[in-house]
Amino acid sequence: MNSFPAGIQSFLKESGEIARFSWRFFKEGFSPRYEVAEFIKQCYVLGYKSLPLVGLTAFIIGLVLTMQLRPTMEYYGVEVQIPAMVGVAIFREIGPILTALIFAGKIGSSIGAELGSMKVTEQIDAMEVSGTNPFKFLVVTRTLACTLMLPILTILADAIALFGAYLGENIYDTLPLNLFFRKVFLNLAYIDLVPAFIKTFFFGFAVGIVGCYKGYFTEKGTEGVGKAANSSVVVSSVLVFLIDLVAVQIADLFQR
């Protein structure tokens, strides 16, 4: 391993440490004692409070996507297929990826900064001294909340993006709401929905575990807190794209 460049060595070392951190999550996360109250609080903070930002972004994307598609579809004389195309694009890729990246930017950074601040001010050490397991209380609850909340946010983002697309369609044409949604769902298949929904659980887990890892092992005082927040966003965003790539390949195998 010493023959590799320093950057690659650092990447491999950190990948191994994140994998070991993830293993500890599964080892400790499903054994008593359960921090139910903290878990519910994190679902509210990480999930519910992210909805306005996710919803606004999804609405704009749905609106803009429809407006951008229309000239090309009109050129080929297939503008009646706009609802079907928009629906497939939103459910298969845009909804899950967009929600995961916004979630990584907002929640990944906040978890990294919060746990990093607790680390440098020795609050995590104090929890251990007081008899509280900081890993279960801080890491397990936040990672689990991210894993469960991101799929729910994605479903809501998909619905809001479709409504934005409906309004975009009616800027240039008049299409009843029920007819628009009928065209969307008549062209959706099982393979469009299930893999896209399943991968959002992995997106949420990646954002949660990376944010917790970066914050839990923060060093170098306030400078380290900033680095933890920033690197949480970068690493979790890259992981989201890698997971998406794998998910698309697996879904493609089932389509053949």
Side-chain angles (χ1 to χ4, degrees), residues 4-254:
F4 291 119
I8 295 179
Q9 289 184 37
S10 176
F11 170 77
L12 293 175
K13 180 182 177 184
E14 185 161 55
S15 298
E17 289 174 347
I18 292 176
R20 189 165 58 181
F21 196 72
S22 302
W23 170 248
R24 186 179 174 187
F25 166 83
F26 289 108
K27 187 178 177 183
E28 295 191 21
F30 299 100
S31 60
R33 159 187 177 189
Y34 302 110
E35 302 288 351
V36 178
E38 179 65 12
F39 168 69
I40 294 173
K41 176 188 170 186
Q42 292 305 321
C43 287
Y44 171 77
V45 173
L46 305 181
Y48 179 75
K49 288 194 171 183
S50 299
L51 182 57
L53 179 61
V54 170
L56 176 63
T57 310
F59 175 79
I60 294 172
I61 289 294
L63 181 65
V64 172
L65 178 64
T66 307
M67 296 169 68
Q68 293 280 17
L69 269 177
R70 175 163 283 277
T72 305
M73 301 293 278
E74 283 182 339
Y75 178 80
Y76 290 104
V78 289
E79 62 270 21
V80 293
Q81 295 297 325
I82 289 178
M85 285 197 66
V86 169
V88 171
I90 287 174
F91 279 106
R92 292 190 69 157
E93 275 301 318
I94 295 177
I97 285 288
L98 178 73
T99 308
L101 292 179
I102 293 173
F103 200 71
K106 183 177 187 296
I107 300 304
S109 61
S110 70
I111 291 177
E114 181 189 12
L115 268 60
S117 300
M118 295 180 71
K119 178 68 175 179
V120 298
T121 55
E122 300 181 349
Q123 293 181 57
I124 292 179
D125 297 333
M127 290 177 72
E128 290 180 341
V129 172
S130 66
T132 302
N133 184 336
F135 190 89
K136 291 178 76 71
F137 189 82
L138 299 174
V139 176
V140 172
T141 54
R142 282 159 178 76
T143 303
L144 201 55
C146 287
T147 306
L148 296 180
M149 288 296 103
L150 186 53
I152 296 174
L153 283 172
T154 302
I155 293 172
L156 296 173
D158 289 346
I160 295 170
L162 283 179
F163 182 68
Y166 164 73
L167 294 183
E169 174 74 3
N170 278 270
I171 290 176
Y172 305 97
D173 199 359
T174 301
L175 188 65
L177 184 64
N178 60 341
L179 181 57
F180 176 84
F181 278 93
R182 194 183 308 162
K183 286 186 174 183
V184 169
F185 288 104
L186 277 177
N187 289 278
L188 285 173
Y190 161 83
I191 200 68
D192 296 319
L193 300 174
V194 176
F197 181 66
I198 291 174
K199 68 185 178 185
T200 58
F201 287 96
F202 292 92
F203 291 165
F205 178 79
V207 172
I209 202 72
V210 169
C212 290
Y213 169 79
K214 292 292 183 180
Y216 205 78
F217 294 106
T218 298
E219 295 177 341
K220 301 178 183 178
T222 53
E223 180 187 357
V225 174
K227 286 184 178 179
N230 184 54
S231 59
S232 296
V233 177
V234 174
V235 175
S236 55
S237 298
V238 172
L239 279 177
V240 164
F241 284 115
L242 289 175
I243 293 168
D244 187 55
L245 176 63
V246 174
V248 168
Q249 295 300 317
I250 294 174
D252 188 52
L253 289 176
F254 283 99

